[in-house]
Amino acid sequence: SGPLGALSDGATALGRGDVPPPVPRGVREASAAGRALSAAAADLARRGRERDVAERRRGLLVAELNHRVKNTLATVQSLAAQTAKRADGD
C-alpha cells in the first residue's frame, strides 16, 4: 500500500496545485502514474506562467488602446472647438 498511498497523496497534492512527491518504487503501475502526475503538475505550472504572461500583455494592449482613444477624442474635441469659434466670429 506504500506506493499506492503515495500515489493518492500525489493526486491530492496536484489537486491543491502543489507538485506531487515522487512515488516510491515497488508497483510499476503506481510509479508510472506518479510520473504522469509529476508531468501533469509541470504542465499546469507552465500553463499558469503562460497565462500570466498573456494577461500582462492583454493589460498592456488595453492601456495602449485607451491612451490612443483618449488622444483621438482630444483631437476631435479640439477641432470641434476651433470650428465653433470660427463659426461665431464670421
Side-chain angles (χ1 to χ4, degrees):
S1 73
L4 295 179
L7 183 61
S8 175
D9 293 342
T12 301
L14 183 61
R16 287 191 313 262
D18 299 333
V19 176
V23 176
R25 293 184 170 258
V27 177
R28 188 178 340 161
E29 291 84 2
S31 296
R35 286 189 301 276
L37 283 175
S38 293
D43 188 50
L44 288 172
R46 178 188 54 79
R47 288 182 193 178
R49 289 187 301 271
E50 289 174 355
R51 183 179 52 247
D52 291 344
V53 168
E55 286 177 7
R56 281 194 296 268
R57 284 183 183 161
R58 183 190 52 80
L60 197 61
L61 288 172
V62 167
E64 178 64 21
L65 181 61
N66 284 336
H67 175 72
R68 289 178 184 224
V69 167
K70 287 177 184 178
N71 283 347
T72 302
L73 179 60
T75 301
V76 170
Q77 287 174 331
S78 175
L79 289 171
Q82 288 176 12
T83 301
K85 283 181 186 178
R86 286 188 184 161
D88 289 341
D90 287 345

